[in-house]
Amino acid sequence: MNILIGVDKEGEIPILSKYGADEFFCGYLPESWIAKYNKNFTDYGGYQEIFISLNRREKLTTNVKDKSSLEKMVQEAKERKVKLYLAINAVYFPGQSYPEMFDYLDEISQIGIRDVIVADLGLISLITDKYPHLNIILSTCQQVNNSWTGKFYGELNIKRITFPRHMTVNEITAIINANPDMEYEYFILEGKCVYDDGNCKVCHNIGGICTEKFSYEYYHNQRGTELNYSEYQELCRNEDIFNKWTFPSPKGYTINGWRNMGCAICTIPSLKQIPSIKALKIATRGLSTKDKVGMVKFIKKAIRLAEEGAERADLMKFGKETFQWPELCDNKFRCLLAMR
Amino acid sequence: MVKLSYMTNDISVIENISSYTWDTEREDKYDARSYKIRSEVYKEIKHIAVDRIYYGAEFCEFLIPTLNEVKRAIDGVKMNYELTFLTPVVTDYGIKRLEEIFDYLAQYCPGIEIVFNDWGVFKLLQCNYPSLLPVAGRTIDKMNRDPRFLKGQYEEYYNEAGLEYLQSSSLFAGEYRKFLYDSGIKRAELDFAPQGMLAAPEIDDTINISVYIPYYFVTTGRHCMMRTLTRPDNLKFVLDNTCGQSCDHYQIEMFRKGEKLNQTKENKEIRVYRKGNTIYGLNKSIGDLLKQNFYDRLIFQLDF
């Protein structure tokens, strides 16, 4: 099992590669795209953001912005014989953006990019027809929840599928068994959201709706039926539990140098048996290189433990020791791919 | 010529559809704001002839009707209306449930429209049920639709090309339309996006388009507060094939004042509606939509 991790700038691939990362991905936003589709850079939370991106990260610091930097990163990957995937996984591209997309695909092809992460079916179709030298990895922004969806994408020249965050090990196994000729990857350390990437339509640049604080009014579907006190308390408590699942620790709280996030290391003993699962994905674009190194070391050790015969309970113990707050492991508030 | 469809999850409405009318004067104590907005929208479209009923589930595999309920819906519309069957995002569990229904529909209702909101369901139809007519549902369209922008804020945050981008669907891109057409899909459906909708001037007529009104869906997912309401805390986030179906009992209105984007006098609050695993917004700007001609079907949601 490879470790796939996001990078934002030149110099990160050599460092992360040294600590055990095997595959890399990044985003690239040319100035021409930013200028055409974005009014101004908005200062928000200390980062500059744009409103129309080519991928699922809108912060400029999470994207490579100049061609020469991307060229250097491609070179760094070549020298180490590792893959560098380019994320072009904006959830959709309308017709008027296609002239820019031709320019963009020409440019990245000339730079030496050969693997792209894509969500939009129009773009997948365009790449298949006009840029057959590009391998397509399906972004998690297209939802693959069942074996038939795997078959659908398998027939579309997709080389690898990224599984959604909210799956079970059994579901993943069944999809792979039904579509054994494809490659797969799944998320191993990741921020949590109760909604699905592939079916969320909000503009992420103003923040995820899952993290917004709303007030609530509850009412029965049956007209004329009033809520009683205990029902209301239970509904409120349930909302609170969902909020705490998304943010189980105070804002800014970090453990071992990185924030409290979703984890799936206890799935490694089961899923490492499946050869077509090629990579564990850590979506770290925008984090510091130091945080990324910490995560790679953590996952590398988890894989090694599994290879040495560690079972699910052993990995859970390792996770609890690393993340602390073991209760979050016991009550499954830290889980991606939550199992009983 | 634009036609109107009614969409409902209430089988009793379908069984009495011939005498059904939306009561625009009713005041709903429990759902006052939403009902009032829906009534305002309905007044603008009530002159359009209704020829079709949408029934099924779009977002949750645990809400797929039983075969018996589907049969009741077919009997309910009788010869007076066409029926379109809605299908949701599914796991392999949901695929099995749909296969039972598709087996029946293929035998007794060939040619019936099946709205798919999952490409796996489309593939299943294409391979095993070629007599059923696939329609690309509104989750298939990836256009953004965010209820948190307040009036006037789009212009504040987007330049002209950016706003046109936001108002355009990939459905208006030639490559995507060709892909749909080549796949045998002749109809695709869009939500009534709050930022407005802009059809490409050169749009061809290979794909017919429907628009859902007045609710647009904002987000959905497998984790569901209503599914696990009655579970112990340590099982609330475990995914399995069980559901408490509490969404049948509770509907939730969520509201807040603008936080990250400043509120204006015209928009003091942002309100969205949650039913089960899905959040919806309400778009009442029906007048703007009625001036456009990129669609030939409106789907009025009587409920959700």
Side-chain angles (χ1 to χ4, degrees), chain B residues 5-221:
Chain B
S5 300
Y6 281 157
M7 175 176 156
T8 181
N9 297 320
D10 188 342
I11 196 75
S12 66
V13 169
I14 298 177
E15 289 179 325
N16 297 289
I17 195 67
S18 298
S19 56
Y20 179 83
T21 53
W22 179 272
D23 183 357
T24 56
E25 302 306 314
R26 198 180 98 188
E27 289 187 7
D28 192 314
K29 176 184 170 187
Y30 299 94
D31 190 14
R33 180 179 175 276
S34 147
Y35 196 90
K36 188 177 173 196
I37 291 174
R38 284 184 285 159
S39 294
E40 286 170 12
V41 170
Y42 180 78
K43 285 176 190 171
E44 299 292 321
I45 48 105
K46 67 179 181 183
H47 62 281
I48 305 174
V50 179
D51 68 343
R52 182 174 290 275
I53 308 298
Y54 276 57
Y55 175 67
E58 294 176 280
F59 304 108
C60 176
E61 61 186 348
F62 301 105
L63 294 178
I64 295 171
T66 63
L67 179 57
N68 188 47
E69 288 170 326
V70 174
K71 289 176 182 174
R72 284 172 63 191
I74 293 166
D75 286 346
V77 298
K78 294 194 178 72
M79 305 297 285
N80 300 321
Y81 302 90
E82 299 288 335
L83 186 72
T84 295
F85 183 62
L86 294 155
T87 66
V89 181
V90 289
T91 63
D92 284 339
Y93 164 81
I95 289 280
K96 283 198 183 72
R97 293 192 61 187
L98 288 176
E99 281 176 325
E100 183 192 15
I101 295 168
F102 291 167
D103 284 341
Y104 179 85
L105 293 177
Q107 186 171 358
Y108 295 103
C109 307
I112 189 173
E113 286 187 352
I114 309 290
V115 174
F116 65 91
N117 283 293
D118 185 311
W119 282 108
V121 175
F122 166 73
K123 197 71 203 167
L124 173 69
L125 291 168
Q126 190 183 46
C127 290
N128 293 356
Y129 303 97
S131 68
L132 305 180
L133 206 60
V135 174
R138 57 177 157 170
T139 71
I140 297 299
D141 175 62
K142 301 299 180 190
M143 187 176 176
N144 287 128
R145 53 205 87 157
D146 197 316
R148 295 173 297 170
F149 283 90
L150 302 173
K151 195 174 179 183
Q153 286 186 319
Y154 292 110
E155 289 77 10
E156 191 179 334
Y157 288 92
Y158 290 85
N159 68 8
E160 191 178 345
L163 187 53
E164 284 177 3
Y165 190 115
L166 189 70
Q167 293 173 328
S168 305
S169 164
S170 52
L171 194 52
F172 303 137
E175 287 286 342
Y176 185 51
R177 292 173 71 81
K178 181 175 180 304
F179 169 78
L180 294 179
Y181 188 80
D182 290 348
S183 303
I185 298 162
K186 304 297 187 301
R187 176 172 293 281
E189 310 203 311
L190 296 174
D191 250 331
F192 185 19
Q195 67 270 27
M197 300 168 80
L198 190 70
E202 71 278 13
I203 188 169
D204 57 51
D205 58 359
T206 52
I207 308 289
N208 293 314
I209 294 176
S210 324
V211 182
Y212 289 83
I213 54 170
Y215 291 107
Y216 57 93
F217 102 90
V218 177
T219 188
T220 185

Side-chain angles (χ1 to χ4, degrees), chain A residues 1 18 29 110 128 131 134 147 193-195 203 206 226 232 235 266 271 296 301 308 325 328 331:
Chain A
M1 269 177 159
K18 186 176 140 195
L29 279 178
Q110 182 266 322
T128 303
Y131 298 86
L134 294 176
S147 303
C193 167
V194 293
Y195 301 108
C203 301
I206 61 168
E226 303 289 352
Y232 181 66
L235 286 163
C266 66
L271 292 179
V296 170
K301 185 169 179 187
E308 290 170 356
W325 290 24
L328 292 179
N331 65 13

